[in-house]
């Protein structure tokens, strides 16, 4: 598969090889953005791994993932947890596999993509963070302590949906749960191009059958976000605990 991003051409082969054709004028940040985005997404699809647009956190009993569209607050939530010393497994691209015991979430790239106002809200100085691309307003904040963190069993998935209005998470079942996961597949057109569309849908169904999927509205302020972490991530794992 060849992905022409305009800034570079990425050739992804067999879920194992990614080669890049670029020019001297391509900015390193642009190249990194496309490799870690479309490039990694295509590799995951080719390998038969389920890639979701999500952030995942480690609790002492396993991982908790938050899926949602752009602006739903996934990255802000992840950055809040990172700032509190928690273990953030990934932001934006969440890779899920299945073993004999059930679904597992793999650690991802050690960065969180934040809007400048979200960074400032969390007490981060936007001036100390780098843009994810020269043409983008989003900033890259580091995920701390990710080196050496192993894959974690996935305990539940929360779907951040503006259409939800209840105070408590609503458990989704059957086709509704699978559909909610399917709606947040990472770079879905790449799954189609790799011939994995049917396999991706089957993986969403399998995940919905083996892992609770719950819907809730996005948090609207920092206090609400912090309370949500306390309520929804049982025994948040701490980096100091060696996870």
């Amino acid at each position: 598969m060849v992905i022409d991003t305009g800034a570079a051409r990425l050739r992804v082969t067999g879920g194992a090889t990614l080669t890049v054709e670029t020019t001297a004028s391509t900015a390193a940040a642009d190249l990194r953005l496309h490799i870690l985005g479309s490039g990694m997404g295509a590799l995951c699809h080719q390998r038969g791994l389920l890639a979701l647009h999500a952030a995942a956190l480690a609790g002492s009993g396993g991982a908790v993932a938050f899926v949602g569209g752009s602006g739903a607050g996934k990255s802000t939530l992840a950055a809040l947890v990172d700032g509190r010393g928690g273990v953030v497994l990934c932001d934006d691209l969440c890779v899920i596999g299945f073993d004999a015991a059930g679904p597992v979430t793999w650690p991802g790239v050690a960065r969180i993509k934040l809007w400048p106002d979200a960074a400032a809200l969390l007490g981060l100085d936007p001036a100390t963070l780098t843009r994810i691309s020269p043409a983008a307003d989003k900033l890259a904040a580091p995920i701390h302590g990710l080196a050496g963190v192993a894959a974690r069993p996935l305990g539940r998935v929360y779907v951040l949906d503006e259409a939800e209005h209840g105070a408590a998470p609503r458990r989704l079942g059957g086709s509704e749960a699978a559909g909610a996961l399917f709606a947040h597949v990472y770079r879905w057109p790449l799954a189609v191009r790799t011939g994995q569309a049917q396999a991706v849908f089957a993986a969403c169904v399998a995940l919905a059958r083996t892992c609770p999927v719950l819907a809730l509205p996005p948090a609207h302020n920092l206090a609400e976000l912090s309370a949500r972490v306390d309520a929804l991530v049982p025994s948040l794992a701490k980096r100091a605990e060696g996870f």
Side-chain angles (χ1 to χ4, degrees):
M1 166 190 285
V2 176
I3 305 169
D4 191 340
T5 69
R9 286 168 58 87
L10 311 179
R11 186 179 299 275
V12 187
T13 308
T17 304
L18 192 159
T19 57
V20 182
E21 299 175 17
T22 186
T23 66
S25 63
T26 302
D30 276 335
L31 188 57
R32 184 165 53 247
L33 180 67
H34 295 303
I35 290 174
L36 298 180
S38 294
M40 290 297 292
L43 282 171
C44 290
H45 290 313
Q46 287 184 349
R47 288 188 181 189
L49 297 167
L50 177 58
L52 295 179
H53 189 206
L57 317 173
S60 59
V64 178
F66 292 82
V67 306
S70 180
K74 305 180 301 299
S75 298
T76 307
L77 186 149
L80 172 68
V81 169
D82 186 81
R84 289 170 51 174
V87 179
V88 177
L89 294 172
C90 60
D91 173 53
D92 194 47
L93 169 57
C94 179
V95 181
I96 298 168
F98 295 86
D99 61 19
V104 295
T105 302
W106 293 91
V109 178
R111 73 169 185 179
I112 300 170
K113 296 194 290 187
L114 292 171
W115 294 107
D117 57 348
L121 184 68
L122 293 166
L124 301 173
D125 182 358
T128 66
L129 304 177
T130 58
R131 289 176 181 267
I132 61 172
S133 164
D137 290 330
K138 277 193 173 181
L139 306 171
I143 294 177
H144 297 92
L146 195 57
V149 175
R152 306 279 291 173
L154 181 58
R156 60 183 57 197
V157 178
Y158 290 100
V159 181
L160 303 178
D161 186 352
E162 288 284 3
E164 293 291 320
H165 298 290
R170 180 174 66 90
R171 177 76 179 265
L172 305 181
S175 60
E176 187 181 16
L181 296 172
F182 188 68
H184 297 291
V185 169
Y186 189 82
R187 307 288 167 94
W188 165 248
L190 295 180
V192 175
R193 288 183 57 192
T194 56
Q196 294 296 312
Q198 186 172 351
V200 167
F201 183 73
C204 290
V205 172
L207 181 57
R209 286 175 175 169
T210 56
C211 180
V213 179
L214 304 100
L216 72 166
H220 295 102
N221 55 62
L222 191 57
E224 203 174 300
L225 198 63
S226 182
R228 174 163 290 177
V229 170
D230 293 335
L232 301 183
V233 187
S235 302
L236 184 68
K238 298 290 186 177
R239 295 193 292 272
E241 296 169 356
F243 286 93

